[in-house]
């Protein structure tokens, strides 16, 4: 299984063997386009080259890239799902065997699935099967990684007769936080209607800080923490700062 550096080396070779000028083609961009095609469930012969020049070049590189992978008896991460899906597409008897083997299928974080993952689900557990998917369309944030919120929004249509159960009680946050979150997310044009509630009641009012950069933001967070301690409101060990990615902790 080729890792990122292996894939980059291979795509550079594919660019050369496809007869393209290496200086005119960005290898990482080509890899990104190839990955997008695989996430969409398309092998080179199934993908449409497109009209713009970059799409045409990417299709040419994709063809050569797959030939080189096969020649090396290798796969990349995208192939692990795509080749399985292609196998199940082409061999009904094999597909039936695994449909019988997996009588109950559960998919978690369904809002983060991409087209090839959803096709795999439908091949293993077609409509009428015992399928449970768990997810929240309001938490779909991985579109840049190929995830499609249409998978969860369209599930009741694709699996007619399914039962939709909304788990709207929230046990983590107070009502003030939930109402603020709902005021924002309810503006999405395409979403399953739901409104979370909490038995914890109202909490403290929320504050909003807007800063020019992460350094100013970190200084204000630190100042607020020191202020709470100095006023005797709370102690340092009772204060937590939540952040989305670890890189944000460095400046703090």
């Amino acid at each position: 299984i080729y890792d990122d550096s292996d894939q980059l080396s291979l795509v550079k070779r594919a660019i050369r063997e496809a007869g393209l000028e290496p200086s005119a083609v960005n290898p990482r961009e080509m890899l990104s386009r190839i990955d997008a095609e695989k996430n969409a469930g398309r092998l080179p012969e199934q993908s449409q080259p497109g009209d713009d020049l970059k799409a045409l070049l990417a299709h040419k590189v994709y063809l050569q890239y797959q030939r080189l992978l096969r020649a090396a008896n290798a796969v990349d991460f995208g192939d692990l799902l795509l080749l399985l899906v292609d196998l199940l597409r082409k061999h009904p008897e094999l597909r039936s065997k695994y449909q019988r083997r997996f009588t109950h299928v559960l998919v978690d974080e369904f809002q983060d699935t991409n087209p090839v993952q959803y096709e795999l689900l439908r091949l293993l557990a077609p409509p009428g099967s015992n399928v449970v998917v768990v997810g929240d369309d309001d938490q779909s944030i991985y579109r840049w990684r190929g995830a499609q919120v249409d998978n969860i929004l369209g599930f009741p249509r694709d699996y007619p007769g399914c039962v939709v159960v909304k788990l709207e009680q929230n046990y983590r946050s107070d009502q003030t936080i939930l109402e603020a979150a709902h005021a924002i997310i309810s503006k999405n044009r395409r979403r399953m209607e739901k409104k979370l509630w909490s038995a914890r009641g109202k909490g403290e009012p929320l504050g909003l800080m807007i800063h020019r950069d992460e350094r100013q933001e970190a200084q204000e967070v630190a100042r607020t923490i020191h202020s709470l301690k100095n006023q005797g409101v709370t102690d340092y060990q009772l204060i937590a700062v939540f952040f989305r990615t670890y890189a944000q902790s460095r400046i703090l």
Side-chain angles (χ1 to χ4, degrees), residues 138-149:
D138 288 340
Q139 296 186 51
S140 180
I141 60 172
Y142 289 112
R143 185 176 177 182
W144 56 273
R145 209 168 61 186
Q148 288 204 357
V149 72

Side-chain angles (χ1 to χ4, degrees), residues 38-97:
K38 293 188 177 187
N39 285 338
R42 294 188 291 262
L43 286 162
E45 57 271 18
Q46 298 158 342
S47 64
Q48 298 298 318
D51 297 327
D52 66 280
L53 180 59
K54 283 189 176 180
L56 287 167
L57 295 178
H59 185 255
K60 197 171 183 179
V61 172
Y62 187 13
L63 283 165
Q64 190 60 34
Y65 176 82
Q66 286 301 104
R67 289 192 193 109
L68 292 172
L69 276 174
R70 294 295 82 80
N73 196 29
V75 293
D76 62 15
F77 296 123
D79 284 337
L80 295 178
L81 281 179
L82 181 55
L83 295 182
L84 172 58
V85 164
D86 195 53
L87 188 71
L88 295 174
R89 283 172 185 158
K90 293 176 177 176
H91 298 278
E93 71 288 349
L94 188 67
R95 187 166 68 242
S96 296
K97 173 186 173 181

Side-chain angles (χ1 to χ4, degrees), residues 120-138:
L120 177 60
L121 172 66
R122 297 191 68 176
L123 288 166
L124 289 176
S129 306
N130 296 309
V131 179
V132 176
V133 301
V134 182
D136 181 4
D137 55 299
D138 288 340

Side-chain angles (χ1 to χ4, degrees), residues 109-111 134-140 149 152 191-192 194 196:
E109 301 291 1
F110 193 65
Q111 76 279 352
V134 182
D136 181 4
D137 55 299
D138 288 340
Q139 296 186 51
S140 180
V149 72
I152 191 168
R191 63 186 293 269
M192 288 189 179
K194 68 190 86 69
L196 304 190

Side-chain angles (χ1 to χ4, degrees), residues 2 22 37 71 115 127 144 162 166 199 209 217:
Y2 277 13
E37 287 296 301
W144 56 273
C162 76
K166 297 181 182 180
M209 300 192 302
E217 179 184 59

Side-chain angles (χ1 to χ4, degrees), residues 26 148 166 219 237:
N26 185 322
Q148 288 204 357
K166 297 181 182 180
Q219 287 172 342
Q237 62 263 35

